[in-house]
Amino acid sequence: MGTACCVHLGKTGRLIAGIASALWQIAFVPTAFAIELWSSNVDDRYLSLDASMKWTSLLSYAPDDTAFYPERWSSASLWRMRLAIGAQPASWLTVKTAYEQRARAVSEGSGAAGGFGILVSENRAPYRISQIDESLVEIGSTFAYRHELDRVFVAAHLGRTEIIIGRQAIGWGRGVLFSAVDIFAPFSPLESDREWRRGIDAVRVGTPVTDLMSVEVVAAFGESRETSALVGRMRGYLGNVDGEMIFGKRREDYVYAATASLPVLDAELHGEVALFKTPGESPDCGVFGRDDLIAKTVIGGSYSFELGIELYLMAEYHHSGFGVRDIKDLETCLEEEALRERFVRGDTQILGRHAGVVQAVYGIGGVSPLNISWIFSPMDGSGIFVPTVSWIFSDNVTLVANAYLPYGAEPKDGKIRSEYGGTPTSGLLQISFYY
């Protein structure tokens, strides 16, 4: 291959063939994967295994810019197997783990295509003392086979208080596609393969204060004190309003945030606002006349009505002070290490400062729902349409087909000219098995 491998090429070839054979058998002989585990007939004790297998294939046609895309046509495939074991040795104690194996193959010359931003990211997960996410086989940039311990935690229910210790998933906020307060492990709005939020190493303590209010404290641990977090949240209800307040320190930032959602007639409205007091590395995006105070906001709403079959409509607007003012300056801005690190860990879900989304789902809750999402930048006039059709054959098998149809100014001579115009036109096919 002309590139470094983790093992000799002959062994690698045999290993890849064995992996492919095993994945094929798991994917297409699902009955061999169903496992019956133990449960008590006397009390709530149990031992369970949830298994899933996903195969995703992506074909892309990129803009004509060899600096980003050496080959205009490219393909990518991702295979993923996830085993989640849950146990309840006592009525007040729960233990859960989740282990993944995944393989990614991309075509030669795919460059910035190959599913980046659409398939699962291989970036290091934030807030982990140790990643426990290792490569087993790598062949240059075209093939990688990895495994990861994504969950391992103990949850104790002590009266009305719950304490969770270990690698766990934590997601906050009211946003559907965007979020201002999902500060631990946010999703990318275009990421199609990530079904499970990445686990972080944390201690989480939550308890109700009244029947309508609860408090929660999360200590999330990175590889050092500077990459850790200590954040509190109060959540409660006031009439029809469901709200929360968030405050604490995350890495080098102090966070102050609030969210709310409420019904208005037959619709739902939600909003999020967050202020981050930073070390002041972004002097051109502060608020209230302060260079060190960065704001993120989300406002949106949804509405469902009957049109033969139920139709669900949703719209959101997102502002991120961490984004770049002019997308054409992105390359220059990313030379700043602090901003580059923020993009990598997901402090902003978008490259610029403004984005919107409109989404419609027809037949939600049915066996073949249709979905179309329109994500756009109101600043540079670019966007991307994502039509999706799903076939839910049973509780165990789902088939999904997506298309990614971008528009806007395409990159030229290695320079980005719009936020979404440089996205390759792509088609994705995914089949999932659950047990």
Side-chain angles (χ1 to χ4, degrees), residues 1 3-16 136-139:
M1 291 286 183
T3 51
C5 300
C6 294
V7 293
H8 295 298
L9 189 58
K11 293 182 179 179
T12 302
R14 291 193 294 273
L15 180 56
I16 294 171
L136 299 176
V137 178
E138 289 188 6
I139 302 177

Side-chain angles (χ1 to χ4, degrees), residues 351-402:
L351 299 176
R353 296 191 180 173
H354 303 271
V357 62
V358 178
Q359 186 178 70
V361 184
Y362 182 67
I364 188 170
V367 297
S368 56
L370 303 176
N371 180 331
I372 184 166
S373 298
W374 174 33
I375 303 173
F376 59 92
S377 168
M379 304 305 294
D380 60 34
S382 67
I384 182 168
F385 290 97
V386 187
T388 303
V389 58
S390 304
W391 294 272
I392 304 173
F393 296 103
S394 68
D395 292 338
N396 305 100
V397 182
T398 300
L399 181 65
V400 177
N402 287 0

Side-chain angles (χ1 to χ4, degrees), residues 219-389:
F221 304 101
E223 297 176 351
S224 66
R225 183 178 179 180
E226 290 72 23
T227 58
S228 300
L230 180 62
V231 187
R233 179 175 73 151
M234 293 190 301
R235 180 178 179 181
Y237 297 88
L238 181 62
N240 291 329
V241 179
D242 175 7
E244 58 187 345
M245 298 182 65
I246 297 169
F247 50 91
K249 188 174 183 181
R250 182 202 62 165
R251 294 180 179 261
E252 296 181 336
D253 301 336
Y254 288 92
V255 183
Y256 311 93
T259 77
S261 61
L262 70 157
V264 177
L265 298 177
D266 294 328
E268 172 271 344
L269 296 180
H270 59 266
E272 303 178 3
V273 60
L275 293 177
F276 298 84
K277 186 179 182 302
T278 73
E281 75 272 14
S282 302
D284 68 335
C285 57
V287 294
F288 305 127
R290 297 182 53 171
D291 293 340
D292 63 345
L293 201 59
I294 309 300
K296 291 183 67 177
T297 58
V298 171
I299 185 168
S302 60
Y303 181 73
S304 297
F305 59 93
E306 293 291 333
L307 190 66
I309 302 177
E310 185 176 4
L311 177 65
Y312 167 83
L313 300 176
M314 185 277 295
E316 278 184 345
Y317 162 78
H318 179 38
H319 163 74
S320 173
F322 290 118
V324 298
R325 185 182 299 275
D326 188 339
I327 200 68
K328 297 177 183 177
D329 298 329
L330 179 63
E331 184 178 357
T332 301
C333 292
L334 289 181
E335 293 177 357
E336 300 178 13
E337 183 179 357
L339 181 60
R340 186 167 62 251
E341 289 180 354
R342 291 190 181 277
F343 277 117
V344 169
R345 67 176 180 247
D347 279 4
T348 177
Q349 296 174 292
I350 55 179
L351 299 176
R353 296 191 180 173
H354 303 271
V357 62
V358 178
Q359 186 178 70
V361 184
Y362 182 67
I364 188 170
V367 297
S368 56
L370 303 176
N371 180 331
I372 184 166
S373 298
W374 174 33
I375 303 173
F376 59 92
S377 168
M379 304 305 294
D380 60 34
S382 67
I384 182 168
F385 290 97
V386 187
T388 303
V389 58

Side-chain angles (χ1 to χ4, degrees), residues 55-59 76 78 119 389 391 399-402 427-431:
W55 168 73
T56 305
S57 185
L58 182 75
L59 181 65
L78 182 69
L119 300 183
V389 58
W391 294 272
L399 181 65
V400 177
N402 287 0
L428 178 146
L429 185 65
Q430 182 178 89
I431 186 166

Side-chain angles (χ1 to χ4, degrees), residues 77-89:
S77 294
L78 182 69
W79 301 269
R80 179 195 296 272
M81 180 180 68
R82 185 179 178 94
L83 303 176
I85 298 176
Q88 186 165 297

